[in-house]
Amino acid sequence: MSSVTSSEQSKAPTLGGYARKLSIKTKPSITIHINNHYRSKVYTTGDEVSGYATISPQSDVRFDTLQIALLGTSKTRMDAVNIPQATAHTFLKLLMPIPESSYPVPRIFEAGMNYTVPFTFVIPSTLTLGACSHHVANESIQEHHVRLPPTVGSWEKDDFAPNMSRVQYVVKARAYRDEESSGVSTKVMEAGREIRVLPAAPEDPPLSITKHDDLYTMAKSKTLRRTILSPRSGRVTVTAQQPGAAMMSPDGQTIAPTAVPLDLAFEPASGDARPPEVTGVSSKITAVTYFSAVGINHYPNLKSWRRSFGSEGRGSYSGTTSASTGPAGAVRWTRQLAAQARRDSGYGSEGPSSSDTDHSGNRLVTAAAAAAAAPKKRKAESSIVHTARLRVPVQVPAAKKAFVPTFHSCIASRVYVLWLTVSLSAGGATAHVTLGVPLQIGVTGSSSSGAAGEDRGGGGPEMPPTFQEFEEAEADEYWRPRVLGLPAVEFDRSGVVGAGNGNGAGAGVEVLPGYADLEYRRRTVAAH
Protein backbone atom coordinates (compact mmCIF):
# COMPACT_ATOMS: atom_id res chain seq x y z
CA MET A 1 0.00 0.00 0.00
CA SER A 2 2.87 2.32 0.78
CA SER A 3 4.40 1.54 -2.59
CA VAL A 4 1.23 2.62 -4.34
CA THR A 5 1.21 5.88 -2.40
CA SER A 6 4.83 6.61 -3.19
CA SER A 7 4.17 5.83 -6.81
CA GLU A 8 1.29 8.28 -6.91
CA GLN A 9 3.43 10.94 -5.22
CA SER A 10 6.20 10.40 -7.75
CA LYS A 11 3.77 10.73 -10.67
CA ALA A 12 2.01 13.82 -9.37
CA PRO A 13 4.77 16.32 -10.18
CA THR A 14 5.21 14.77 -13.62
CA LEU A 15 1.50 15.09 -14.49
CA GLY A 16 1.38 18.60 -13.07
CA GLY A 17 4.38 19.70 -15.08
CA TYR A 18 2.92 18.17 -18.22
CA ALA A 19 -0.34 20.05 -17.65
CA ARG A 20 1.55 23.31 -17.14
CA LYS A 21 3.52 22.67 -20.32
CA LEU A 22 0.30 22.19 -22.29
CA SER A 23 -1.20 25.38 -20.88
CA ILE A 24 1.87 27.44 -21.71
CA LYS A 25 2.39 26.09 -25.22
CA THR A 26 0.51 28.17 -27.81
CA LYS A 27 -0.93 26.73 -30.97
CA PRO A 28 0.00 28.17 -34.38
CA SER A 29 -2.57 30.65 -35.63
CA ILE A 30 -4.37 30.61 -39.02
CA THR A 31 -6.96 33.23 -39.88
CA ILE A 32 -9.30 32.90 -42.88
CA HIS A 33 -10.60 36.11 -44.43
CA ILE A 34 -13.40 35.98 -47.06
CA ASN A 35 -13.88 39.00 -49.29
CA ASN A 36 -17.15 40.93 -48.90
CA HIS A 37 -18.35 38.44 -46.32
CA TYR A 38 -20.66 39.11 -43.39
CA ARG A 39 -22.40 36.87 -40.92
CA SER A 40 -25.82 36.72 -42.58
CA LYS A 41 -24.53 36.43 -46.15
CA VAL A 42 -25.91 33.57 -48.24
CA TYR A 43 -24.13 32.06 -51.23
CA THR A 44 -25.90 30.37 -54.11
CA THR A 45 -24.97 28.52 -57.28
CA GLY A 46 -22.30 30.34 -59.28
CA ASP A 47 -21.25 32.68 -56.47
CA GLU A 48 -17.56 33.27 -55.89
CA VAL A 49 -16.00 32.59 -52.48
CA SER A 50 -12.62 34.30 -52.48
CA GLY A 51 -10.23 35.59 -49.88
CA TYR A 52 -6.96 34.66 -48.24
CA ALA A 53 -5.59 32.66 -45.34
CA THR A 54 -3.09 34.37 -43.02
CA ILE A 55 -0.63 32.18 -41.10
CA SER A 56 0.95 33.80 -38.02
CA PRO A 57 2.89 31.16 -36.05
CA GLN A 58 4.09 31.84 -32.52
CA SER A 59 6.95 29.40 -32.97
CA ASP A 60 8.72 27.82 -35.92
CA VAL A 61 6.55 25.19 -37.59
CA ARG A 62 7.95 22.78 -40.11
CA PHE A 63 5.49 21.56 -42.73
CA ASP A 64 5.43 19.81 -46.10
CA THR A 65 1.98 20.55 -47.60
CA LEU A 66 -0.50 23.41 -47.28
CA GLN A 67 -4.12 22.77 -48.26
CA ILE A 68 -7.02 25.21 -48.66
CA ALA A 69 -10.35 23.58 -49.48
CA LEU A 70 -14.08 24.27 -49.63
CA LEU A 71 -15.74 21.31 -47.95
CA GLY A 72 -19.40 20.31 -47.94
CA THR A 73 -20.25 17.76 -45.26
CA SER A 74 -23.47 16.09 -44.17
CA LYS A 75 -23.56 14.69 -40.64
CA THR A 76 -26.13 12.48 -38.92
CA ARG A 77 -26.31 10.97 -35.47
CA MET A 78 -28.44 8.08 -34.29
CA ASP A 79 -28.95 7.83 -30.54
CA ALA A 80 -29.21 4.06 -30.41
CA VAL A 81 -29.80 2.05 -27.26
CA ASN A 82 -26.32 0.56 -27.15
CA ILE A 83 -24.10 3.37 -28.46
CA PRO A 84 -24.68 6.57 -30.46
CA GLN A 85 -23.82 6.15 -34.13
CA ALA A 86 -22.42 9.18 -35.96
CA THR A 87 -22.00 9.35 -39.74
CA ALA A 88 -20.23 12.02 -41.81
CA HIS A 89 -20.41 12.23 -45.59
CA THR A 90 -18.15 14.68 -47.45
CA PHE A 91 -20.04 15.29 -50.69
CA LEU A 92 -18.00 18.33 -51.85
CA LYS A 93 -14.25 18.92 -51.74
CA LEU A 94 -12.83 21.75 -53.85
CA LEU A 95 -9.06 22.18 -53.49
CA MET A 96 -7.28 25.44 -54.21
CA PRO A 97 -4.15 24.80 -56.30
CA ILE A 98 -1.09 26.26 -54.59
CA PRO A 99 1.99 26.53 -56.83
CA GLU A 100 5.32 25.32 -55.55
CA SER A 101 6.76 28.80 -55.93
CA SER A 102 4.43 30.07 -53.21
CA TYR A 103 5.98 27.85 -50.52
CA PRO A 104 8.78 29.28 -48.37
CA VAL A 105 12.23 27.71 -48.68
CA PRO A 106 12.84 25.85 -46.48
CA ARG A 107 9.26 24.86 -45.69
CA ILE A 108 9.16 26.37 -42.24
CA PHE A 109 6.68 28.92 -40.97
CA GLU A 110 8.93 31.15 -38.91
CA ALA A 111 7.79 32.72 -35.66
CA GLY A 112 6.76 36.35 -35.89
CA MET A 113 6.20 36.21 -39.65
CA ASN A 114 2.88 36.52 -41.51
CA TYR A 115 2.21 34.34 -44.53
CA THR A 116 -0.71 35.08 -46.85
CA VAL A 117 -2.19 32.53 -49.28
CA PRO A 118 -5.09 33.62 -51.54
CA PHE A 119 -7.93 31.32 -52.58
CA THR A 120 -10.91 31.43 -54.93
CA PHE A 121 -13.82 28.99 -55.14
CA VAL A 122 -17.09 28.96 -57.10
CA ILE A 123 -20.22 27.25 -55.78
CA PRO A 124 -20.85 24.48 -58.35
CA SER A 125 -24.20 23.66 -59.90
CA THR A 126 -23.94 19.89 -59.36
CA LEU A 127 -21.75 17.34 -57.64
CA THR A 128 -19.68 14.67 -59.31
CA LEU A 129 -21.05 11.15 -59.65
CA GLY A 130 -18.50 10.03 -57.09
CA ALA A 131 -20.39 11.97 -54.43
CA CYS A 132 -23.08 9.25 -54.47
CA SER A 133 -21.48 5.82 -54.78
CA HIS A 134 -24.04 3.67 -52.97
CA HIS A 135 -26.86 1.68 -54.56
CA VAL A 136 -30.07 3.57 -55.40
CA ALA A 137 -33.41 2.40 -56.74
CA ASN A 138 -33.44 4.44 -59.96
CA GLU A 139 -31.75 7.26 -61.87
CA SER A 140 -34.13 9.88 -60.51
CA ILE A 141 -32.82 9.32 -56.98
CA GLN A 142 -29.25 9.38 -58.28
CA GLU A 143 -29.94 12.73 -59.95
CA HIS A 144 -31.24 14.20 -56.67
CA HIS A 145 -28.28 12.85 -54.70
CA VAL A 146 -25.76 14.68 -56.92
CA ARG A 147 -27.47 18.03 -56.34
CA LEU A 148 -25.96 20.36 -53.76
CA PRO A 149 -27.93 20.22 -50.50
CA PRO A 150 -28.55 23.49 -48.66
CA THR A 151 -27.04 24.45 -45.33
CA VAL A 152 -29.04 22.79 -42.55
CA GLY A 153 -28.85 23.63 -38.84
CA SER A 154 -26.70 26.81 -39.04
CA TRP A 155 -29.26 29.54 -39.66
CA GLU A 156 -30.09 32.45 -37.40
CA LYS A 157 -33.76 31.46 -37.33
CA ASP A 158 -35.28 28.06 -36.66
CA ASP A 159 -34.98 25.86 -39.76
CA PHE A 160 -36.78 22.80 -38.30
CA ALA A 161 -33.47 20.90 -38.18
CA PRO A 162 -32.84 18.40 -35.37
CA ASN A 163 -29.48 18.01 -33.68
CA MET A 164 -29.20 14.62 -35.40
CA SER A 165 -28.87 16.11 -38.90
CA ARG A 166 -26.53 18.85 -40.13
CA VAL A 167 -25.25 20.06 -43.51
CA GLN A 168 -22.27 22.43 -43.41
CA TYR A 169 -20.04 24.27 -45.89
CA VAL A 170 -16.62 25.28 -44.53
CA VAL A 171 -13.52 26.92 -45.99
CA LYS A 172 -10.59 25.12 -44.33
CA ALA A 173 -6.86 25.74 -44.31
CA ARG A 174 -4.57 22.92 -43.16
CA ALA A 175 -0.83 22.36 -42.93
CA TYR A 176 0.57 18.81 -42.95
CA ARG A 177 3.96 17.42 -42.04
CA ASP A 178 5.20 14.09 -43.38
CA GLU A 179 6.61 11.83 -40.67
CA GLU A 180 9.73 10.15 -41.99
CA SER A 181 9.50 7.22 -39.60
CA SER A 182 5.91 6.17 -40.32
CA GLY A 183 5.32 7.85 -43.69
CA VAL A 184 2.03 9.28 -42.43
CA SER A 185 1.08 12.95 -42.84
CA THR A 186 0.34 14.68 -39.57
CA LYS A 187 -1.86 17.76 -39.37
CA VAL A 188 0.06 20.50 -37.59
CA MET A 189 -2.19 23.51 -38.24
CA GLU A 190 -5.87 23.91 -39.08
CA ALA A 191 -8.53 26.61 -39.22
CA GLY A 192 -11.99 26.84 -40.79
CA ARG A 193 -14.75 29.32 -41.49
CA GLU A 194 -18.32 28.28 -42.19
CA ILE A 195 -20.49 29.81 -44.90
CA ARG A 196 -24.18 29.40 -45.67
CA VAL A 197 -25.24 28.03 -49.03
CA LEU A 198 -28.66 27.97 -50.73
CA PRO A 199 -28.05 26.31 -54.10
CA ALA A 200 -30.42 26.89 -56.97
CA ALA A 201 -33.24 24.34 -56.82
CA PRO A 202 -35.58 24.22 -59.84
CA GLU A 203 -39.16 23.02 -59.69
CA ASP A 204 -39.52 19.25 -59.99
CA PRO A 205 -42.43 17.38 -61.60
CA PRO A 206 -45.34 16.54 -59.27
CA LEU A 207 -45.11 13.38 -57.22
CA SER A 208 -47.10 10.29 -58.11
CA ILE A 209 -49.10 9.90 -54.90
CA THR A 210 -50.86 6.60 -54.25
CA LYS A 211 -52.90 5.23 -51.38
CA HIS A 212 -49.76 3.63 -49.97
CA ASP A 213 -48.08 7.00 -49.35
CA ASP A 214 -49.00 7.57 -45.72
CA LEU A 215 -47.47 11.03 -45.45
CA TYR A 216 -50.02 12.70 -47.73
CA THR A 217 -53.82 12.86 -47.89
CA MET A 218 -54.90 14.10 -51.31
CA ALA A 219 -58.67 13.56 -50.92
CA LYS A 220 -61.10 13.09 -48.09
CA SER A 221 -64.87 12.59 -47.72
CA LYS A 222 -67.11 13.74 -44.91
CA THR A 223 -70.78 13.15 -44.08
CA LEU A 224 -72.74 16.26 -43.16
CA ARG A 225 -75.12 15.97 -40.19
CA ARG A 226 -76.63 18.51 -37.82
CA THR A 227 -76.16 16.20 -34.85
CA ILE A 228 -75.04 12.63 -34.37
CA LEU A 229 -78.63 11.38 -34.25
CA SER A 230 -80.04 13.54 -37.04
CA PRO A 231 -80.23 12.18 -40.61
CA ARG A 232 -77.44 13.11 -42.94
CA SER A 233 -77.90 15.97 -45.36
CA GLY A 234 -75.29 14.74 -47.79
CA ARG A 235 -71.72 13.73 -48.35
CA VAL A 236 -68.95 16.11 -49.41
CA THR A 237 -65.60 15.13 -50.93
CA VAL A 238 -62.64 17.50 -51.16
CA THR A 239 -59.74 16.64 -53.46
CA ALA A 240 -56.54 18.64 -53.75
CA GLN A 241 -54.15 18.88 -56.65
CA GLN A 242 -50.46 19.36 -56.06
CA PRO A 243 -49.54 23.06 -56.05
CA GLY A 244 -46.64 24.55 -57.91
CA ALA A 245 -43.37 25.02 -56.11
CA ALA A 246 -42.97 27.96 -53.74
CA MET A 247 -39.83 29.57 -55.12
CA MET A 248 -37.43 31.24 -52.71
CA SER A 249 -35.10 34.12 -53.50
CA PRO A 250 -31.37 33.22 -53.64
CA ASP A 251 -30.76 34.96 -50.30
CA GLY A 252 -33.62 33.10 -48.59
CA GLN A 253 -35.38 36.28 -47.46
CA THR A 254 -38.58 36.02 -49.51
CA ILE A 255 -40.70 33.16 -50.86
CA ALA A 256 -43.21 33.62 -53.66
CA PRO A 257 -46.76 32.51 -52.84
CA THR A 258 -48.30 29.42 -54.38
CA ALA A 259 -51.89 28.25 -54.87
CA VAL A 260 -53.58 24.90 -54.25
CA PRO A 261 -56.46 23.88 -56.57
CA LEU A 262 -59.30 22.22 -54.67
CA ASP A 263 -62.15 20.22 -56.22
CA LEU A 264 -65.36 19.84 -54.20
CA ALA A 265 -68.19 17.36 -54.80
CA PHE A 266 -71.43 17.18 -52.81
CA GLU A 267 -73.86 14.26 -52.96
CA PRO A 268 -77.19 15.36 -51.48
CA ALA A 269 -79.16 12.88 -49.40
CA SER A 270 -82.44 14.39 -50.56
CA GLY A 271 -83.62 16.43 -53.47
CA ASP A 272 -84.00 19.65 -51.46
CA ALA A 273 -80.52 19.48 -49.87
CA ARG A 274 -78.35 22.41 -50.90
CA PRO A 275 -74.56 22.31 -51.34
CA PRO A 276 -72.53 23.43 -48.33
CA GLU A 277 -70.95 26.84 -48.02
CA VAL A 278 -67.18 27.16 -47.68
CA THR A 279 -66.79 29.28 -44.57
CA GLY A 280 -62.98 29.31 -44.44
CA VAL A 281 -59.69 27.62 -45.28
CA SER A 282 -56.75 27.48 -42.87
CA SER A 283 -53.28 26.07 -43.49
CA LYS A 284 -50.10 24.99 -41.77
CA ILE A 285 -46.79 23.57 -42.99
CA THR A 286 -44.92 20.59 -41.59
CA ALA A 287 -41.21 20.22 -42.32
CA VAL A 288 -40.02 16.61 -42.20
CA THR A 289 -36.29 15.87 -41.96
CA TYR A 290 -35.14 12.34 -42.67
CA PHE A 291 -31.69 11.15 -41.62
CA SER A 292 -29.88 7.85 -41.80
CA ALA A 293 -26.60 6.26 -40.76
CA VAL A 294 -26.31 4.56 -44.16
CA GLY A 295 -27.08 5.58 -47.73
CA ILE A 296 -30.76 6.09 -48.56
CA ASN A 297 -31.71 4.28 -51.78
CA HIS A 298 -35.27 5.59 -52.26
CA TYR A 299 -37.45 8.63 -51.65
CA PRO A 300 -38.14 8.55 -47.90
CA ASN A 301 -41.36 10.56 -48.18
CA LEU A 302 -43.06 7.99 -50.40
CA LYS A 303 -44.57 4.63 -49.52
CA SER A 304 -44.79 3.61 -45.85
CA TRP A 305 -42.16 5.88 -44.37
CA ARG A 306 -43.04 4.96 -40.78
CA ARG A 307 -41.97 1.37 -41.28
CA SER A 308 -38.95 2.29 -43.39
CA PHE A 309 -37.59 4.90 -41.02
CA GLY A 310 -38.67 3.45 -37.71
CA SER A 311 -35.94 0.83 -37.80
CA GLU A 312 -32.53 1.17 -36.20
CA GLY A 313 -30.13 3.37 -38.14
CA ARG A 314 -32.83 5.65 -39.57
CA GLY A 315 -35.02 8.35 -38.15
CA SER A 316 -37.18 11.38 -38.91
CA TYR A 317 -38.00 14.66 -37.23
CA SER A 318 -40.87 17.01 -37.98
CA GLY A 319 -41.81 20.56 -37.04
CA THR A 320 -44.96 22.52 -37.86
CA THR A 321 -45.72 26.21 -38.29
CA SER A 322 -48.82 28.09 -39.37
CA ALA A 323 -49.15 29.56 -42.86
CA SER A 324 -51.39 32.31 -44.19
CA THR A 325 -54.04 31.71 -46.85
CA GLY A 326 -55.53 34.34 -49.10
CA PRO A 327 -59.18 34.63 -50.16
CA ALA A 328 -60.31 31.67 -52.19
CA GLY A 329 -63.04 33.61 -53.97
CA ALA A 330 -66.69 32.76 -54.46
CA VAL A 331 -67.61 29.07 -54.77
CA ARG A 332 -69.91 28.35 -57.71
CA TRP A 333 -71.58 24.94 -57.66
CA THR A 334 -72.66 23.13 -60.81
CA ARG A 335 -74.97 20.13 -61.07
CA GLN A 336 -74.28 16.96 -62.98
CA LEU A 337 -75.47 13.36 -62.96
CA ALA A 338 -73.58 11.05 -60.65
CA ALA A 339 -73.45 8.36 -63.35
CA GLN A 340 -71.74 10.82 -65.70
CA ALA A 341 -69.25 11.80 -63.01
CA ARG A 342 -68.46 8.15 -62.37
CA ARG A 343 -68.13 7.46 -66.10
CA ASP A 344 -65.72 10.40 -66.50
CA SER A 345 -63.65 9.48 -63.47
CA GLY A 346 -62.33 6.10 -64.57
CA TYR A 347 -63.28 4.48 -61.25
CA GLY A 348 -65.01 1.16 -61.73
CA SER A 349 -65.53 -0.05 -58.17
CA GLU A 350 -67.06 1.38 -55.06
CA GLY A 351 -64.95 2.28 -52.07
CA PRO A 352 -65.30 1.35 -48.37
CA SER A 353 -68.50 2.17 -46.55
CA SER A 354 -67.16 4.38 -43.76
CA SER A 355 -68.56 7.85 -43.16
CA ASP A 356 -65.10 9.48 -43.22
CA THR A 357 -62.84 8.04 -45.89
CA ASP A 358 -59.41 9.15 -47.08
CA HIS A 359 -58.62 8.85 -50.78
CA SER A 360 -54.95 9.28 -51.70
CA GLY A 361 -54.27 9.77 -55.39
CA ASN A 362 -52.35 11.78 -57.90
CA ARG A 363 -53.10 15.28 -59.10
CA LEU A 364 -55.42 14.10 -61.90
CA VAL A 365 -58.08 12.79 -59.48
CA THR A 366 -61.06 15.12 -59.16
CA ALA A 367 -63.51 15.52 -56.33
CA ALA A 368 -66.38 14.47 -58.58
CA ALA A 369 -64.54 11.25 -59.35
CA ALA A 370 -63.88 10.56 -55.69
CA ALA A 371 -67.50 11.30 -54.83
CA ALA A 372 -68.75 9.03 -57.60
CA ALA A 373 -66.48 6.25 -56.35
CA ALA A 374 -67.85 6.59 -52.81
CA PRO A 375 -70.64 4.16 -51.76
CA LYS A 376 -74.20 5.31 -52.16
CA LYS A 377 -77.69 3.89 -52.06
CA ARG A 378 -79.40 3.72 -55.40
CA LYS A 379 -82.07 6.34 -54.86
CA ALA A 380 -83.45 8.91 -57.23
CA GLU A 381 -82.36 11.79 -55.04
CA SER A 382 -78.71 10.63 -55.00
CA SER A 383 -78.32 10.72 -58.77
CA ILE A 384 -77.24 14.39 -58.68
CA VAL A 385 -73.75 15.55 -57.71
CA HIS A 386 -72.83 19.21 -57.14
CA THR A 387 -69.25 20.07 -58.06
CA ALA A 388 -67.13 23.19 -57.56
CA ARG A 389 -63.52 24.27 -57.87
CA LEU A 390 -61.51 26.92 -56.05
CA ARG A 391 -57.88 27.98 -55.74
CA VAL A 392 -56.44 28.68 -52.30
CA PRO A 393 -53.43 31.06 -52.26
CA VAL A 394 -50.84 30.09 -49.63
CA GLN A 395 -47.96 32.22 -48.34
CA VAL A 396 -45.00 30.45 -46.72
CA PRO A 397 -43.97 32.37 -43.54
CA ALA A 398 -40.35 33.13 -44.45
CA ALA A 399 -40.21 36.01 -41.95
CA LYS A 400 -40.49 33.86 -38.82
CA LYS A 401 -38.82 30.62 -39.95
CA ALA A 402 -35.77 29.73 -42.01
CA PHE A 403 -36.98 27.49 -44.83
CA VAL A 404 -34.48 25.50 -46.87
CA PRO A 405 -35.36 24.04 -50.27
CA THR A 406 -36.68 20.53 -50.63
CA PHE A 407 -33.77 18.16 -51.15
CA HIS A 408 -32.77 14.50 -51.09
CA SER A 409 -29.14 13.58 -50.38
CA CYS A 410 -27.36 10.37 -49.51
CA ILE A 411 -27.98 10.41 -45.74
CA ALA A 412 -30.45 13.28 -45.23
CA SER A 413 -33.63 14.65 -46.85
CA ARG A 414 -36.07 17.49 -46.28
CA VAL A 415 -39.68 17.57 -47.51
CA TYR A 416 -42.71 19.70 -46.67
CA VAL A 417 -46.38 18.88 -46.18
CA LEU A 418 -49.00 21.59 -46.61
CA TRP A 419 -52.07 20.93 -44.45
CA LEU A 420 -55.32 22.56 -45.60
CA THR A 421 -58.44 22.53 -43.42
CA VAL A 422 -61.62 23.40 -45.32
CA SER A 423 -64.55 24.47 -43.11
CA LEU A 424 -68.00 23.74 -44.54
CA SER A 425 -71.52 24.65 -43.41
CA ALA A 426 -74.87 23.48 -44.79
CA GLY A 427 -78.25 23.88 -43.10
CA GLY A 428 -76.82 23.90 -39.61
CA ALA A 429 -74.47 21.00 -40.33
CA THR A 430 -70.75 21.79 -40.18
CA ALA A 431 -67.70 19.81 -41.17
CA HIS A 432 -63.94 20.29 -41.28
CA VAL A 433 -61.99 18.43 -43.96
CA THR A 434 -58.18 18.34 -43.61
CA LEU A 435 -55.89 17.42 -46.50
CA GLY A 436 -52.11 17.02 -46.60
CA VAL A 437 -50.47 17.78 -49.96
CA PRO A 438 -46.78 17.80 -50.90
CA LEU A 439 -45.24 21.27 -51.03
CA GLN A 440 -41.97 21.79 -52.82
CA ILE A 441 -39.81 24.77 -51.91
CA GLY A 442 -37.26 25.72 -54.55
CA VAL A 443 -34.65 28.42 -55.04
CA THR A 444 -34.74 30.65 -58.08
CA GLY A 445 -31.62 30.74 -60.21
CA SER A 446 -30.08 34.00 -61.34
CA SER A 447 -30.23 34.94 -65.02
CA SER A 448 -26.52 35.67 -64.76
CA SER A 449 -24.33 34.40 -61.98
CA GLY A 450 -22.22 37.53 -62.19
CA ALA A 451 -25.24 39.77 -61.73
CA ALA A 452 -26.38 37.67 -58.81
CA GLY A 453 -23.00 37.92 -57.22
CA GLU A 454 -22.91 41.70 -57.66
CA ASP A 455 -26.32 42.05 -56.02
CA ARG A 456 -25.09 40.16 -52.98
CA GLY A 457 -21.54 41.46 -53.07
CA GLY A 458 -20.06 38.19 -54.34
CA GLY A 459 -19.08 39.27 -57.87
CA GLY A 460 -19.15 35.68 -59.16
CA PRO A 461 -18.51 34.89 -62.82
CA GLU A 462 -20.95 33.14 -65.12
CA MET A 463 -20.81 29.38 -64.71
CA PRO A 464 -19.90 27.28 -67.76
CA PRO A 465 -22.46 24.65 -68.83
CA THR A 466 -22.23 21.29 -67.13
CA PHE A 467 -21.72 18.05 -69.04
CA GLN A 468 -25.39 17.16 -68.57
CA GLU A 469 -26.51 20.57 -69.87
CA PHE A 470 -24.19 20.20 -72.88
CA GLU A 471 -25.67 16.79 -73.73
CA GLU A 472 -29.21 18.12 -73.35
CA ALA A 473 -28.42 21.06 -75.65
CA GLU A 474 -27.06 18.68 -78.31
CA ALA A 475 -30.16 16.49 -78.04
CA ASP A 476 -32.47 19.50 -78.31
CA GLU A 477 -30.61 20.68 -81.41
CA TYR A 478 -30.87 17.22 -82.98
CA TRP A 479 -34.60 16.95 -82.39
CA ARG A 480 -35.35 20.60 -83.24
CA PRO A 481 -38.17 20.78 -85.81
CA ARG A 482 -37.00 21.83 -89.27
CA VAL A 483 -39.38 24.07 -91.21
CA LEU A 484 -39.25 23.75 -94.99
CA GLY A 485 -40.58 26.64 -97.05
CA LEU A 486 -40.77 27.70 -100.70
CA PRO A 487 -38.58 30.59 -101.86
CA ALA A 488 -40.29 33.96 -102.16
CA VAL A 489 -40.28 34.32 -105.96
CA GLU A 490 -42.86 35.64 -108.40
CA PHE A 491 -43.53 34.76 -112.07
CA ASP A 492 -44.38 37.25 -114.76
CA ARG A 493 -46.25 36.60 -117.98
CA SER A 494 -43.09 36.39 -120.07
CA GLY A 495 -41.95 33.24 -118.26
CA VAL A 496 -39.12 34.94 -116.38
CA VAL A 497 -38.61 34.67 -112.62
CA GLY A 498 -38.47 38.04 -110.90
CA ALA A 499 -36.02 38.07 -107.98
CA GLY A 500 -35.01 40.93 -105.74
CA ASN A 501 -38.34 42.73 -105.33
CA GLY A 502 -41.97 41.92 -105.04
CA ASN A 503 -43.18 42.98 -108.49
CA GLY A 504 -40.98 40.87 -110.77
CA ALA A 505 -38.35 43.53 -111.42
CA GLY A 506 -34.66 42.82 -111.23
CA ALA A 507 -32.37 40.32 -112.87
CA GLY A 508 -34.44 37.69 -114.63
CA VAL A 509 -33.63 34.04 -115.16
CA GLU A 510 -35.40 31.48 -117.31
CA VAL A 511 -38.20 29.46 -115.79
CA LEU A 512 -37.52 25.80 -115.10
CA PRO A 513 -39.17 23.39 -117.57
CA GLY A 514 -42.69 22.32 -116.74
CA TYR A 515 -44.72 19.15 -117.38
CA ALA A 516 -45.69 20.34 -120.88
CA ASP A 517 -42.03 20.62 -121.89
CA LEU A 518 -41.34 17.14 -120.54
CA GLU A 519 -44.26 15.77 -122.55
CA TYR A 520 -42.99 17.49 -125.70
CA ARG A 521 -39.52 16.05 -125.26
CA ARG A 522 -40.96 12.58 -124.67
CA ARG A 523 -42.83 12.76 -128.01
CA THR A 524 -39.72 14.02 -129.82
CA VAL A 525 -37.61 11.12 -128.55
CA ALA A 526 -40.31 8.62 -129.53
CA ALA A 527 -40.42 10.07 -133.08
CA HIS A 528 -36.76 9.31 -133.63
Side-chain angles (χ1 to χ4, degrees), residues 26 148 167 183 253 296 347 420 425 432 440 473 496 525:
T26 59
L148 261 72
V167 178
Q253 297 298 318
I296 304 174
Y347 282 86
L420 292 174
S425 176
H432 302 281
Q440 181 193 355
V496 178
V525 173

Side-chain angles (χ1 to χ4, degrees), residues 50-64:
S50 61
Y52 54 89
T54 303
I55 304 171
S56 305
Q58 301 297 324
S59 59
D60 292 350
V61 178
R62 186 183 68 82
F63 74 100
D64 292 284

Side-chain angles (χ1 to χ4, degrees), residues 38-75:
Y38 45 91
R39 183 177 179 182
S40 59
K41 185 172 183 178
V42 180
Y43 297 87
T44 188
T45 303
D47 279 355
E48 182 181 279
V49 183
S50 61
Y52 54 89
T54 303
I55 304 171
S56 305
Q58 301 297 324
S59 59
D60 292 350
V61 178
R62 186 183 68 82
F63 74 100
D64 292 284
T65 305
L66 180 64
Q67 182 187 93
I68 301 180
L70 174 60
L71 302 178
T73 307
S74 179
K75 299 178 181 180

Side-chain angles (χ1 to χ4, degrees), residues 210-459:
T210 66
K211 62 181 181 180
H212 303 291
D213 301 321
D214 300 338
L215 186 61
Y216 308 110
T217 303
M218 301 301 296
K220 194 171 185 180
S221 299
K222 199 84 171 181
T223 300
L224 299 180
R225 301 175 186 269
R226 289 188 178 180
T227 62
I228 300 177
L229 301 178
S230 62
R232 66 187 184 94
S233 60
R235 181 183 180 88
V236 63
T237 301
V238 182
T239 304
Q241 299 182 22
Q242 296 184 39
M247 301 304 294
M248 183 190 308
S249 60
D251 58 1
Q253 297 298 318
T254 59
I255 301 179
T258 185
V260 184
L262 294 179
D263 293 320
L264 289 80
F266 175 69
E267 299 175 88
S270 59
D272 57 350
R274 298 178 60 84
E277 178 185 358
V278 179
T279 58
V281 180
S282 60
S283 62
K284 59 183 180 180
I285 298 175
T286 297
V288 185
T289 305
Y290 299 96
F291 50 93
S292 174
V294 297
I296 304 174
N297 60 1
H298 62 283
Y299 291 117
N301 56 319
L302 298 181
K303 302 299 183 274
S304 182
W305 64 275
R306 289 186 178 89
R307 288 197 295 268
S308 300
F309 276 79
S311 59
E312 187 176 359
R314 295 180 175 183
S316 64
Y317 177 86
S318 60
T320 304
T321 184
S322 59
S324 58
T325 56
V331 179
R332 297 190 177 122
W333 294 90
T334 59
R335 299 176 60 182
Q336 63 179 353
L337 295 176
Q340 181 181 359
R342 181 169 60 253
R343 190 163 56 246
D344 297 339
S345 67
Y347 282 86
S349 59
E350 295 184 351
S353 59
S354 59
S355 60
D356 298 331
T357 307
D358 292 346
H359 308 278
S360 297
N362 56 28
R363 67 185 302 174
L364 298 180
V365 178
T366 62
K376 59 179 71 64
K377 296 181 181 179
R378 301 299 180 183
K379 295 182 179 180
E381 58 269 21
S382 63
S383 61
I384 299 297
V385 175
H386 301 267
T387 60
R389 170 169 288 190
L390 68 155
R391 291 176 62 87
V392 181
V394 178
Q395 179 63 59
V396 180
K400 62 179 181 179
K401 296 289 184 178
F403 286 86
V404 300
T406 304
F407 75 95
H408 298 282
S409 64
C410 291
I411 60 175
S413 294
R414 166 65 66 85
V415 298
Y416 296 93
V417 183
L418 175 61
W419 300 98
L420 292 174
T421 300
V422 182
S423 301
L424 304 169
S425 176
T430 60
H432 302 281
V433 181
T434 301
L435 304 178
V437 300
L439 173 64
Q440 181 193 355
I441 295 182
V443 178
T444 57
S446 303
S447 58
S448 173
S449 301
E454 292 175 2
D455 293 341
R456 291 181 299 277

